[in-house]
Amino acid sequence: MSKEYDREFEKKFQETTRLGLEVVKESEEDRLMTLSVGPQHPGSGHFRFTIKVDGDYIVYCDPDPGYVHRGEEKMSEYRNFIQNIPHLERPVIHDSTNITYSYSLAVEELLGVEVPRRGQFIRAIASELNRQVYTLYWLAIYGIFLGHSTMFMWPAGDRELFIDLLTALSGARVTHAYNIPGGVRNDAPDGFKEKCLQYVKYFEKRLVEYEDIFYNNPLFRQRTENVGVLTKEDAINLGVTGSVLRASGIPHDIRKVEPYDVYDEIDFKVQYMKTCDSFARAYVPFLDMRESCNIIKQLLDKMPDSGEVRLKLQSNPKGQPGESYKRVESGRGALGYYIVSDGSPKPYRVKISVGSFRNILALPHLLVGSKLGDMPSIYWALNYWPVEADR
Amino acid sequence: MAPSIIKKKKTATGFIKAIESGSKHLLLKRFTLRFPEQKLKFVGDGYQFDPKRGVGIAGARGRHILFHEKCTGCQLCAITCEGIAEAIGMVKITEKWKQNKKGIMPQIDYGKCVFCGLCVDACPFYALFMTNDFELSSFTKEHLIYTPAQLAVKPKYDGSVDIKIDKRGAWHG
Amino acid sequence: MATAPKEFRFGNFVASIVWLVFWILVIVTLVVLPLIFVILFFVPLPYAGDEVLTPYLFFSMMVDPTRTVPIIDFLIHTDLFRAAIFPGFAYAAIIAAATIYIERKFLAKMQLRTGPLYAGRFEGILQLIADGFKLISKEVIIPSGADKPLFWATPVIFVATAAAATALIPVAPGWVASNLDVGILAIFAILGFFPLLALLFSWASNSKYPFIGGLRALHQLIAFEIPFILSALPIVLLSGSLNLSEMVESQYLFWFFAVAPISAFVFYISSLAELERVPFDLPEAESEIVAGWLTETSGMIYGLIQLGTYVKLYVLAALFVVLFLGGWMGPQIFPQELIPNYTGEKIYNATVVNGIFWFTLKTFGMIMLILLPRGINPRIRIDILLHTGWYKLIVLAFINIFIVLTLIYGGIITPGGLQ
Amino acid sequence: MMSSNISKNPENDHKINQSSQKNNHNQTNLKDLDPNNSNNFIDQNLNLENSIYSEISSKFTNKVKLKYSKFKRIKIYVEPEDIVEVAEFLKTNIGFDHAESVCGTDYPDDNSIEVIYHLSSYSREDLSPIIFALSTKTSRDNSRLPSLIRVFNSVEYHERETFEMLGVYFEGHPRNERFLLPEDWADIPPLRKDFQIKGR
């Protein structure tokens, strides 16, 4: 390939000099180098976005998701309400209790049933633990994106604590399939409460270490402060959600705005920051983790000691015709399910509105004009999980 | 909390705190679970389901165990799995069981199974539970298909390690 | 599943062994021995006792211990030995290998994990050898559009330049491969090769990400070359000479670190940048440009570049020790002679061994200090890097030069150490 | 402590229990939605939702038909021609400033594709729990809709996905093209009911 290119360039080159014109002028397009931060890149996960780079500045960015699109919505139309759970948690398996949480809520509204109180508590605890697992995994990847290998190892290690708790609770490390329309699959094993309190207390001490070595590290501050600024109006206009929104100064958390299950009995403060830059988007999930610790403690001691955890539904429950839209605060923001049911045991239409798909709209907006070195800190601070966005 | 404007840390103290925090970790114990020598201890001996009360009993979701004396060949587990992973197929068995007129029992293909445990939820006769044995690797895909006879064998899993936490950090002890 | 060879018979096995022994004997007598005689003919032979050391005398002395000591003494002091083995490349390579192992274990411990564990019986001690075999056995993939000769030559030159730098480091009194009068200039000249090599290699691999990585390497190493050299200037002023050995000797009273701490800090930061260690590892920033200028390396080419990088790490650590921490100066802790009142020939020389001990101790201390930032710092952006390089470090370097100048012309310290 | 309504006999379990105010479910049957009779779905005790609906219906008297108004959920049906106008009104006067999701549903039996914009609000505190469903219908064979990208530009990727999955062409949308599906996808839009998954 390079041989023809040279000959053709040679011809053009001689032609111009022979006619006395000045040498081949560099057109605007040639100066930009198109880089595909592609599906096979340590810096992007299964997601590709093409950027045009002029020297070190990014001048154009076009996200192109869809490399791991499984057609979850089409698949759910062929399965009944319970069979949908294992495949609906696949988009983000390490936040699996949250992603099936709003599905279960929506289906419960369609079935017109309500989960017993202890079940609601265990479901809330499992979803808080799962939020910790997701945020730690996200923080680990954020650390290695900025070249801070210790910041990859510590969160990945501490994540094992919460995975251990969830394994004791649901039986599986990551793909729990624990959240079922009608409650949770099984009751918490005995001794779970003390073990959970012990781990959470230890984890709170670990959070102080993260702050020392990562968040207050001047080099990290230099790389993320006022990088990729998403002002409050832009955030509202682009409709971003979750930590990206709370980092731009809007205290909007579904657990506080539209409390579901038992969250109205828990008093916690919505963590948000006003500095709207990449540092805020990195620090808000950290504050959320700390807040989650005390939520878990409150849930644990408010939980009734005995009682049913799951409704005994008919084996193939039929939903009333109608539709319901329920949303939950997942690791990446508001995660909503819009389910239309036509009276048969299979849902007529399931629409999943995930946080990642809404946050990625901010990527071109933020990347254009920033430097190539900022690309990892902006892209991963958007809390984007490719598999979830593609569904 | 109101957005605390984190005061601009001077670079020197930032570095010193980072070095101090990093070197503090040189004294903590190592957290890695050295898998073949140490194996994790699970709660109970596998996930079970009580159809009368309609709720499961906590346990690890590893390989299935089939109690031949209880299985009636009603294919409920196969029908449930058909919507999820099509991992369960019913096969003829040689011995005669009085409660299993058709003489068919589930055969699970672990190349497809996603270990969600919904088949255990669907079984009304306490016949199919899960154990906490998860080491099922094999050289060919055919060996991943467990016949009912293989499923009846109770696996031996001797995990004895769990996470211990004390002053010197957390480790797998 | 390793299956046994088709028809394994013990007879064939014994036959192959005998056949092997036969060929070894034939080759040794017909080829190797004459070769030794030819070599020994040209090599200037020493005087063992009173007569000239001929090959026959040499072989006969193998059994007579009193005569072997002068031969070893002679061999040790030849230039080949100095350049290739002790203060030269082999010593540096061993320390580099030890550094790789220590770095993986040190980093692992800081990150609460175990690091290499299964390679050797005890805590993965043979991990280095395992990696070496892996790299050797891996196929070297040269990309299609690559400029082939340049592609495989650059790693070899990379290691060669790193080795050349080790020849100038004075490890013990008198023990330096080449005792140049302009030692410090020679080292900076050699270290100036590395940006060129990085660009050459990334240009030869003819693909986008290495190209960006190569440009970044060029920017970074150029930006940190000036503070690097400026930070060595106060030491030259203090010791009054460019010769590294004299620099060390002039620190017999106090280490120059005490007088020039700021330039020591600047030297440390610039050496981190020269080595492309974490705060400054932009040329191979995985998350932005895949692996920078190392993207197309594979197999032994990667192995060579890694060896070159870690030998360069030893060189820079040793240079810091020579300039700021008083090279081999240290309290005499080795006894004057091992065996009391032993009169015969001996190789053991207390000051040399003591010098080697202190030099190696300080170098390993310095290497640990260079390894530390990788555990605690993220990578910085290219414009912050250039800003620190051009503005902050040069200013700091100048500050220290003025301090040293005021000290000298204030009469407090005269060149050649405190009078 | 709320009495857990577990009863041993299974048959009354999935009976609709009107017990708690928190999630009352006056379901409306999808089939017999008679658009003109709008007052049989208003619940007396949902004042905020009703006030919004009354504001809208006062402005667009006959263009807006209320589908249901449940606990924190309102759904109205608007004809495709004046959806942009209603959307602008919602955004400026009432304060719904972004779209959570755009969902297209295919109804082959009455030959229509229903596209619903789930709007919510960040700027107004009291409105943020409410999801306002703005729905329109287009025919299945020649499905074209005016795009709301000028009003809510958070719908850009949602509309693009709906185009790809259901074949609804959004006029005014800059890039009605392939988004999630592979480049060489030659089949009909997959979320339509007549696209069958093989082997099911």
Side-chain angles (χ1 to χ4, degrees):
Chain A
M1 182 273 298
S2 63
K3 283 294 158 286
E4 299 82 32
Y5 175 74
D6 296 346
R7 212 168 301 108
E8 177 245 306
F9 180 74
E10 227 76 277
K11 198 151 42 48
K12 202 160 75 171
F13 183 72
Q14 267 103 17
E15 209 176 68
T16 49
T17 44
R18 189 165 49 72
L19 297 176
L21 307 173
E22 84 295 279
V23 180
V24 172
K25 227 173 92 32
E26 185 191 37
S27 76
E28 193 49 38
E29 210 41 52
D30 292 350
R31 204 158 47 79
L32 304 183
M33 174 193 278
T34 314
L35 269 178
S36 150
V37 186
Q40 187 60 32
H41 185 279
S44 76
H46 340 273
F47 165 65
R48 181 173 85 94
F49 53 97
T50 342
I51 46 175
K52 284 202 160 72
V53 180
D54 166 14
D56 201 26
Y57 285 88
I58 299 174
V59 291
Y60 166 80
C61 162
D62 166 31
D64 165 21
Y67 285 84
V68 274
H69 173 66
R70 287 187 63 197
E72 297 282 341
E73 290 163 4
K74 186 74 181 179
M75 276 159 61
S76 356
E77 286 161 14
Y78 288 82
R79 290 163 171 74
N80 69 32
F81 285 116
I82 302 290
Q83 284 173 337
N84 264 329
I85 292 288
H87 85 84
L88 271 183
E89 70 183 3
R90 281 298 181 270
V92 58
I93 51 174
H94 47 266
D95 200 3
S96 66
T97 321
N98 278 325
I99 196 164
T100 44
Y101 202 157
S102 47
Y103 172 78
S104 308
L105 286 174
V107 170
E108 275 148 24
E109 187 181 334
L110 284 175
L111 300 180
V113 293
E114 205 200 316
V115 175
R117 196 160 149 66
R118 181 172 162 89
Q120 290 182 7
F121 268 97
I122 294 188
R123 193 151 58 161
I125 293 171
S127 93
E128 284 304 319
L129 291 177
N130 224 324
R131 190 191 320 280
Q132 303 279 49
V133 165
Y134 173 77
T135 318
L136 282 171
Y137 191 82
W138 168 82
L139 187 60
I141 292 183
Y142 197 67
I144 202 69
F145 263 21
L146 296 184
H148 200 291
S149 52
T150 309
M151 206 49 223
F152 176 77
M153 295 299 173
W154 287 357
D158 294 339
R159 181 171 164 264
E160 280 303 311
L161 297 173
F162 293 106
I163 285 185
D164 191 54
L165 285 174
L166 284 164
T167 316
L169 207 58
S170 71
R173 277 175 64 82
V174 181
T175 55
H176 315 302
Y178 187 58
N179 217 329
I180 287 267
V184 275
R185 295 266 306 275
N186 56 359
D187 202 336
D190 40 24
F192 174 76
K193 192 169 178 181
E194 295 70 29
K195 192 158 108 169
C196 191
L197 274 177
Q198 184 198 10
Y199 285 2
V200 167
K201 280 197 182 59
Y202 169 71
F203 180 64
E204 268 167 347
K205 287 206 297 292
R206 293 291 298 151
L207 283 178
V208 176
E209 299 297 340
Y210 291 172
E211 212 159 9
D212 281 352
I213 204 155
F214 189 59
Y215 285 103
N216 295 336
N217 193 320
L219 296 181
F220 173 75
R221 283 291 182 78
Q222 263 172 353
R223 277 209 70 178
T224 46
E225 256 161 9
N226 43 51
V227 159
V229 178
L230 183 68
T231 58
K232 185 167 179 178
E233 298 70 30
D234 287 350
I236 295 177
N237 212 345
L238 293 176
V240 289
T241 171
S243 59
V244 180
L245 181 73
R246 292 196 291 272
S248 299
I250 301 155
H252 182 276
D253 181 333
I254 305 291
R255 292 174 296 181
K256 186 62 87 178
V257 154
E258 193 191 349
Y260 43 93
D261 265 5
V262 286
Y263 274 101
D264 46 13
E265 298 164 28
I266 309 288
D267 70 332
F268 68 101
K269 285 180 291 302
V270 176
Q271 309 297 326
Y272 69 101
M273 280 177 71
K274 282 205 169 59
T275 48
C276 313
D277 55 7
S278 231
F279 177 73
R281 282 193 292 276
Y283 200 63
V284 164
F286 174 80
L287 298 174
D288 284 347
M289 272 201 288
R290 188 174 283 169
E291 197 57 38
S292 266
C293 283
N294 85 57
I295 292 176
I296 291 173
K297 282 187 206 150
Q298 283 177 43
L299 283 170
L300 278 176
D301 53 42
K302 281 203 172 78
M303 179 163 77
D305 303 339
S306 66
E308 284 302 314
V309 285
R310 179 179 179 183
L311 267 182
K312 190 160 183 338
L313 291 180
Q314 210 189 19
S315 68
N316 233 340
K318 292 188 175 47
Q320 273 69 35
E323 52 194 48
S324 79
Y325 186 98
K326 278 280 183 186
R327 44 184 189 156
V328 144
E329 180 67 30
S330 77
R332 293 151 309 291
L335 195 137
Y337 270 84
Y338 167 71
I339 302 180
V340 178
S341 125
D342 58 357
S344 75
K346 294 187 160 83
Y348 186 79
R349 165 80 165 105
V350 171
K351 163 73 186 170
I352 312 165
S353 142
V354 283
S356 301
F357 194 72
R358 294 169 55 193
N359 287 344
I360 206 55
L361 195 57
L363 186 70
H365 173 81
L366 290 176
L367 269 190
V368 170
S370 73
K371 303 183 188 58
L372 185 59
D374 291 337
M375 185 255 293
S377 65
I378 290 176
Y379 163 65
W380 199 253
L382 284 178
N383 218 337
Y384 176 75
W385 190 251
V387 195
E388 181 196 41
D390 301 349
R391 289 181 307 276
Chain B
M1 93 188 166
S4 71
I5 308 301
I6 291 130
K7 57 182 175 4
K8 189 88 183 69
K9 277 235 179 331
K10 288 185 300 306
T11 45
T13 51
F15 276 122
I16 291 161
K17 272 197 86 60
I19 293 170
E20 178 251 340
S21 159
S23 37
K24 196 163 46 171
H25 279 71
L26 293 175
L27 315 170
L28 298 183
K29 285 174 84 83
R30 302 187 286 206
F31 186 70
T32 328
L33 168 74
R34 287 183 270 282
F35 174 67
E37 292 93 16
Q38 303 172 318
K39 287 201 177 122
L40 272 178
K41 176 158 67 69
F42 290 118
V43 171
D45 57 3
Y47 174 73
Q48 284 141 18
F49 189 77
D50 168 7
K52 279 198 194 45
R53 285 179 49 236
V55 76
I57 294 114
R61 294 210 295 253
R63 180 176 77 81
H64 293 82
I65 178 164
L66 180 68
F67 299 106
H68 283 227
E69 64 281 5
K70 293 210 179 81
C71 173
T72 62
C74 65
Q75 292 198 4
L76 266 180
C77 49
I79 294 160
T80 312
C81 197
E82 198 180 70
I84 300 168
E86 292 156 15
I88 302 184
M90 306 306 279
V91 291
K92 300 278 308 155
I93 49 163
T94 50
E95 325 95 358
K96 281 282 159 283
W97 291 94
K98 67 171 176 39
Q99 88 279 0
N100 195 330
K101 301 286 177 302
K102 292 187 281 229
I104 52 171
M105 285 200 179
Q107 156 198 287
I108 298 179
D109 169 3
Y110 284 107
K112 294 193 179 113
C113 172
V114 290
F115 296 97
C116 64
L118 284 173
C119 50
V120 173
D121 287 15
C123 175
F125 303 104
Y126 298 91
L128 189 65
F129 286 154
M130 286 175 128
T131 61
N132 47 24
D133 162 26
F134 54 86
E135 290 138 344
L136 308 170
S137 58
S138 75
F139 279 103
T140 56
K141 271 185 97 59
E142 290 70 31
H143 289 175
L144 278 178
I145 297 171
Y146 277 53
T147 60
Q150 276 175 305
L151 285 177
V153 169
K154 182 157 180 38
K156 179 183 63 49
Y157 176 74
D158 49 7
S160 65
V161 159
D162 52 16
I163 297 180
K164 292 194 175 56
I165 296 181
D166 75 352
K167 217 169 21 26
R168 286 203 48 204
W171 76 95
H172 284 94
Chain C
M1 284 161 293
T3 55
K6 301 272 174 325
E7 62 297 327
F8 171 77
R9 271 194 212 73
F10 188 66
N12 299 3
F13 175 67
V14 169
S16 62
I17 296 285
V18 165
W19 192 248
L20 204 60
V21 165
F22 165 72
W23 272 112
I24 288 175
L25 282 179
V26 162
I27 291 175
V28 165
T29 47
L30 288 184
V31 171
V32 172
L33 279 182
L35 208 57
I36 291 177
F37 279 99
V38 165
I39 293 172
L40 286 181
F41 189 76
F42 285 102
V43 167
L45 299 177
Y47 279 85
D50 42 16
E51 73 268 41
V52 172
L53 175 69
T54 58
Y56 304 105
L57 198 61
F58 182 80
F59 282 113
S60 69
M61 253 170 303
M62 287 291 215
V63 290
D64 174 359
T66 61
R67 295 231 183 126
T68 48
V69 168
I71 294 183
I72 294 170
D73 201 13
F74 160 73
L75 284 179
I76 282 180
H77 290 290
T78 57
D79 279 350
L80 179 70
F81 178 84
R82 285 226 172 100
I85 314 287
F86 173 58
F89 185 66
Y91 177 69
I94 291 164
I95 289 194
T99 322
I100 297 177
Y101 179 72
I102 287 174
E103 178 184 25
R104 290 177 65 161
K105 277 303 208 184
F106 176 72
L107 209 57
K109 189 67 183 67
M110 188 184 271
Q111 295 168 353
L112 299 181
R113 51 188 176 86
T114 53
L117 194 63
Y118 296 107
R121 177 61 41 219
F122 160 73
E123 285 288 337
I125 200 74
L126 303 181
Q127 182 65 36
L128 265 309
I129 298 160
D131 284 355
F133 281 135
K134 178 196 79 174
L135 283 181
I136 292 169
S137 62
K138 275 264 170 52
E139 177 212 358
V140 174
I141 304 159
I142 298 186
S144 57
D147 181 343
K148 287 189 184 34
L150 256 186
F151 190 81
W152 61 262
T154 324
V156 176
I157 305 167
F158 192 82
V159 178
T161 26
T166 60
L168 294 156
I169 307 279
V171 170
W175 280 89
V176 63
S178 62
N179 196 355
L180 294 179
D181 287 347
V182 281
I184 190 90
L185 286 190
I187 279 216
F188 284 138
I190 292 173
L191 289 180
F193 266 104
F194 288 106
L196 182 73
L197 289 173
L199 193 66
L200 214 59
F201 186 75
S202 62
W203 181 263
S205 45
N206 181 23
S207 95
K208 276 187 183 147
Y209 286 122
F211 183 68
I212 296 180
L215 282 185
R216 283 187 177 185
L218 195 63
H219 280 96
Q220 172 171 323
L221 300 177
I222 301 296
F224 281 87
E225 201 84 5
I226 297 173
F228 194 47
I229 295 168
L230 279 179
S231 62
L233 191 53
I235 307 304
V236 173
L237 292 173
L238 285 167
S239 64
S241 99
L242 288 171
N243 187 335
L244 288 168
S245 309
E246 275 156 31
M247 281 187 191
V248 172
E249 264 131 28
S250 66
Q251 293 180 37
Y252 60 88
L253 254 182
F254 63 91
W255 290 350
F256 284 153
F257 180 80
V259 176
I262 300 172
S263 66
F265 172 71
V266 168
F267 190 92
Y268 169 69
I269 296 292
S270 341
S271 61
L272 280 185
E274 290 286 322
L275 288 163
E276 293 160 14
R277 297 287 313 171
V278 165
F280 307 102
D281 76 344
L282 275 128
E284 32 124 351
E286 306 86 35
S287 59
E288 286 144 30
I289 38 171
V290 189
W293 65 285
L294 296 175
T295 321
E296 300 300 338
T297 57
S298 59
M300 210 38 212
I301 291 197
Y302 181 72
L304 281 177
I305 290 184
Q306 280 303 29
L307 176 64
T309 321
Y310 279 100
V311 168
K312 196 165 114 181
L313 190 138
Y314 157 73
V315 163
L316 287 176
L319 200 56
F320 186 92
V321 164
V322 162
L323 292 180
F324 296 99
L325 302 177
W328 63 75
M329 292 292 169
Q332 180 68 28
I333 45 175
F334 286 85
Q336 278 313 330
E337 343 99 353
L338 291 177
I339 315 148
N341 50 51
Y342 165 75
T343 56
E345 292 272 342
K346 58 178 169 44
I347 304 170
Y348 171 74
N349 167 345
T351 53
V352 166
V353 171
N354 186 39
I356 296 168
F357 169 75
W358 281 111
F359 178 84
T360 318
L361 193 72
K362 289 182 202 164
T363 312
F364 268 111
M366 198 48 218
I367 286 176
M368 294 300 276
L369 208 58
I370 290 183
L371 298 183
L372 182 68
R374 179 162 184 191
I376 55 171
N377 285 327
R379 189 180 306 125
I380 64 174
R381 224 181 24 223
I382 187 79
D383 52 336
I384 302 171
L385 173 115
L386 297 178
H387 182 73
T388 34
W390 288 107
Y391 292 95
K392 296 196 178 110
L393 289 186
I394 291 184
V395 166
L396 282 175
F398 272 114
I399 290 170
N400 206 284
I401 295 170
F402 294 141
I403 292 171
V404 169
L405 279 177
T406 46
L407 283 176
I408 290 175
Y409 290 106
I412 301 158
I413 312 170
T414 59
L418 200 63
Q419 237 52 31
Chain D
M1 220 246 322
M2 199 157 57
S3 71
S4 73
N5 43 37
I6 293 304
S7 54
K8 284 298 155 263
N9 39 28
E11 78 282 350
N12 70 352
D13 260 337
H14 53 76
K15 165 169 62 50
I16 301 172
N17 54 358
Q18 302 291 353
S19 61
S20 67
Q21 136 73 10
K22 199 149 61 131
N23 26 31
N24 61 357
H25 327 283
N26 51 350
Q27 293 306 309
T28 56
N29 195 324
L30 197 68
K31 289 291 156 291
D32 51 27
L33 289 183
D34 48 1
N36 38 41
N37 164 8
S38 67
N39 52 23
N40 60 5
F41 308 117
I42 289 186
D43 220 325
Q44 283 54 36
N45 44 32
L46 298 173
N47 38 33
L48 182 59
E49 288 81 354
N50 305 347
S51 67
I52 294 171
Y53 174 65
S54 57
E55 230 176 295
I56 300 169
S57 56
S58 63
K59 177 97 172 47
F60 306 92
T61 47
N62 49 16
K63 296 192 185 116
V64 166
K65 282 177 274 309
L66 177 75
K67 280 290 171 59
Y68 58 75
S69 159
K70 302 193 289 192
F71 178 72
K72 295 219 182 329
R73 296 289 183 273
I74 312 157
K75 177 172 182 181
I76 62 168
Y77 172 75
V78 178
E79 290 308 323
E81 308 77 65
D82 43 34
I83 188 165
V84 181
E85 198 191 342
V86 172
E88 250 135 31
F89 174 76
L90 280 173
K91 176 164 185 176
T92 47
N93 295 53
I94 294 181
F96 287 108
D97 42 31
H98 72 286
E100 294 239 333
S101 84
V102 174
C103 162
T105 329
D106 178 19
Y107 295 103
D109 38 25
D110 56 12
N111 184 10
S112 76
I113 291 182
E114 184 197 22
V115 172
I116 301 171
Y117 291 85
H118 295 282
L119 311 175
S120 176
S121 144
Y122 285 146
S123 39
R124 272 182 60 177
E125 274 302 307
D126 55 352
L127 273 187
S128 52
I130 291 177
I131 299 280
F132 189 96
L134 180 69
S135 76
T136 57
K137 270 201 172 58
T138 82
S139 72
R140 282 187 85 237
D141 26 38
N142 156 22
S143 37
R144 304 183 74 80
L145 270 177
S147 153
L148 292 187
I149 193 159
R150 297 290 168 281
V151 182
F152 306 106
N153 47 23
S154 60
V155 295
E156 183 190 345
Y157 288 157
H158 295 276
E159 281 184 348
R160 211 171 137 191
E161 187 202 359
T162 317
F163 161 74
E164 180 189 39
M165 291 295 175
L166 280 146
V168 175
Y169 186 81
F170 287 92
E171 283 124 1
H173 193 285
R175 293 177 67 166
N176 273 303
E177 58 199 25
R178 184 73 56 227
F179 193 49
L180 290 179
L181 290 172
E183 281 72 19
D184 54 7
W185 176 269
D187 219 322
I188 64 170
L191 274 184
R192 291 201 172 196
K193 287 300 177 188
D194 36 25
F195 174 83
Q196 290 302 338
I197 295 185
K198 287 36 170 210
R200 265 288 184 282

